[in-house]
Amino acid sequence: MKVLVVGNGGREHALAWKLGQSKKVEKVFVAPGNAGTARDAENVDVAATDIPGLVQFAKSQAIDLTVIGPEAPLVAGLADAMEQEGLKVFGPSRAAAELEGSKVFCKNLLHTANIPTASYQTFKTGGDAERYIKDRYPEPDEPVPVVVKADGLAAGKGVIVCDTRHDALEAIDRIASQREFGEAGNELIIEEKLTGPEASVLAITDGETIITLPAAQDHKPAHDGDTGPNTGGMGAYSPTPVVDEAMMARIEADVLVPVVHAMKRARRPFKGILYAGLMLTPAGPKVLEFNVRFGDPECQPLLMRLQSDLFDVLEAAADGRLSELEPLQWDERPGTCVVMASEGYPGSYDKGHEISGIDNADALEDVKVFHAGTTIADGQVLTNGGRVLGVTALGSTISQAKLNAYSGVKEIRWRGAWCRKDISDKALSTI
Ligand code: AMP
Ligand code: GLY
């Protein structure tokens, strides 16, 4: 079988690496890929959002399965374009991807289906949103615990957590007047600020059957102790003790199953990865957001732990045959992924620094370096993005997995490289 993975991040390197281990897969292409996928698969010089280019490539190579990594091509309708040409795809249609592409759509669906989420209001103009804040919180100094969100895709940045009236009005101004997130800010949501630990629960579904993956925890803030600006994710680990068996059963029954049914009822049957971003509040788990793809970096430790053939699973989902699949097999050992980033990220950063030590890190037992923002020039691996590498490791305990991942990190150098030092410590503090 020939497989095409679309995207160029750490998630796509992990997908390509795992798909390449399938006995059924003879070739994995990655479009456009990075220096890591160039080594573990074959890169194709077509952008992840070039829908006609990707369809043409898949047809010309008679690709048996296309796996779409990032949200942008899904929301733009890549899965639909592929299927129209009779090509098999793992990933939701454009209509189903609105679950991530529009937070207003997502919140309204959750509300209609009675799925627990923060209470919210939607607004078409900044003026209406401002009036709501001023009416609801008339005292200038009273606490205003709300979260202001841009409706559309904003690379994880269009969510502003507020404590004061000033924070909330400023957030509305940034989204609606300064248009910091462009068209994503055409509509706004203001929702209740929740508290509690966060967890990512991902499920594979063909629109009927749901296979839940072990829960993971991301680390979105840039700095240790969850401080600093939000990023795409500075590290992840799985499984997480904050989601025990009883909590997982509750999340499946109260969130995942009703969402799959609600999407079917809305005539947007969902096929692909359903990623619930959850807050485990004192009143139970509540949905913060849905993503329609693997999380990055959650994907890296999850796939390192997966022992089943990933091609079989994704193909069965694409074919609507998930109910026939054997239960997934997992390595019992926890996995941890530490993201190494460029100096300046998540703000502006340089590219083109020479990276050394990747092979030494990869040679360590139970360690795999997944590339994200890397490229190759004259045989040398160079930095090419903000999140550069995801050093991922298994270990007999979470502490051991962490130690193994940081042993890999220690081998790797480039000018300005940095990472959080506390990835997975949240697990230890909850035990
Ligand atoms: P999202 O992209 O919607 O998951 O939001 C990004 C981050 O903002 C989440 O990981 C949470 O830390 C935070 N967040 C989003 N919504 C809320 C909420 N209603 N209450 C508290 N924090 C939130
Ligand atoms: N790690 C968070 C995300 O992929 O959206």
Side-chain angles (χ1 to χ4, degrees), residues 11 218 220 232-233 275 289 291 293-298 387:
R11 162 184 52 210
D218 190 9
K220 280 190 181 147
Y275 166 143
E289 64 163 352
N291 295 322
R293 44 155 181 95
F294 272 109
D296 187 343
E298 293 95 322
R387 293 193 293 169

Side-chain angles (χ1 to χ4, degrees), residues 12 42 86 172 179 236 268 272 327 355 365:
E12 287 76 23
E42 183 173 326
I172 294 166
R179 312 288 292 168
R268 298 171 191 246
I355 308 175
E365 207 175 328

Side-chain angles (χ1 to χ4, degrees), residues 4-289:
L4 171 63
V5 175
V6 176
N8 63 352
R11 162 184 52 210
E12 287 76 23
H13 186 189
L15 285 164
W17 168 80
K18 189 72 199 165
L19 286 162
Q21 291 171 8
S22 167
K23 286 196 189 71
K24 296 187 185 142
V25 173
E26 72 197 64
K27 182 125 203 175
V28 180
F29 296 98
V30 186
N34 56 37
T37 59
R39 183 179 282 190
D40 287 335
E42 183 173 326
N43 286 353
V44 183
D45 191 15
V46 182
T49 46
D50 177 359
I51 292 182
L54 292 167
V55 171
Q56 211 238 308
F57 176 80
K59 274 172 78 175
S60 71
Q61 293 290 327
I63 295 291
D64 297 289
L65 179 68
T66 297
V67 179
I68 305 171
E71 60 276 21
L74 291 165
V75 170
L78 177 56
D80 311 61
M82 289 272 181
E83 281 180 352
Q84 266 158 30
E85 294 293 332
L87 295 158
K88 199 180 283 186
V89 194
F90 179 78
S93 67
R94 177 186 184 142
E98 237 190 303
L99 201 55
E100 176 168 359
S102 166
K103 290 188 187 293
V104 171
F105 171 80
C106 176
K107 291 294 286 194
N108 290 341
L109 184 108
L110 295 174
H111 179 68
T112 312
N114 212 9
I115 295 164
T117 188
S119 60
Y120 70 104
Q121 298 276 333
T122 64
F123 302 93
K124 289 224 158 45
T125 69
D128 289 347
E130 245 180 57
R131 256 189 306 283
Y132 169 81
I133 290 291
K134 288 180 177 161
D135 289 349
R136 178 130 189 238
Y137 303 97
E139 301 301 327
D141 294 330
E142 72 181 304
V144 180
V146 298
V147 182
V148 182
K149 300 187 174 183
D151 171 55
L153 290 185
K157 295 184 189 132
V159 172
I160 305 167
V161 180
C162 306
D163 292 308
T164 65
R165 187 159 136 160
H166 174 264
D167 293 345
L169 295 177
E170 188 181 60
I172 294 166
D173 183 61
R174 282 171 60 192
I175 295 173
S177 306
Q178 297 175 36
R179 312 288 292 168
E180 212 172 287
F181 310 104
E183 293 206 349
N186 284 352
E187 281 191 72
L188 295 95
I189 294 178
I190 298 180
E191 65 180 39
E192 160 203 16
K193 182 177 163 186
L194 304 172
T195 52
E198 287 183 46
S200 308
V201 176
L202 284 72
I204 299 178
T205 178
D206 57 8
E208 298 284 339
T209 301
I210 297 173
I211 299 181
T212 309
L213 312 186
Q217 247 186 345
D218 190 9
H219 296 65
K220 280 190 181 147
H223 304 307
D224 288 9
D226 279 348
T227 57
N230 257 345
T231 68
M234 294 303 298
Y237 73 96
S238 173
T240 170
V242 302
V243 180
D244 58 16
E245 242 175 75
M247 178 61 83
M248 188 59 114
R250 191 163 172 191
I251 291 166
E252 284 174 354
D254 294 354
V255 176
L256 296 170
V257 170
V259 164
V260 169
H261 285 155
M263 290 298 283
K264 206 164 131 189
R265 274 200 308 277
R267 293 181 207 282
R268 298 171 191 246
F270 192 98
K271 268 202 223 178
I273 296 283
L274 202 49
Y275 166 143
L278 300 159
M279 197 163 257
L280 310 178
T281 76
K286 295 195 180 185
V287 175
L288 296 177
E289 64 163 352

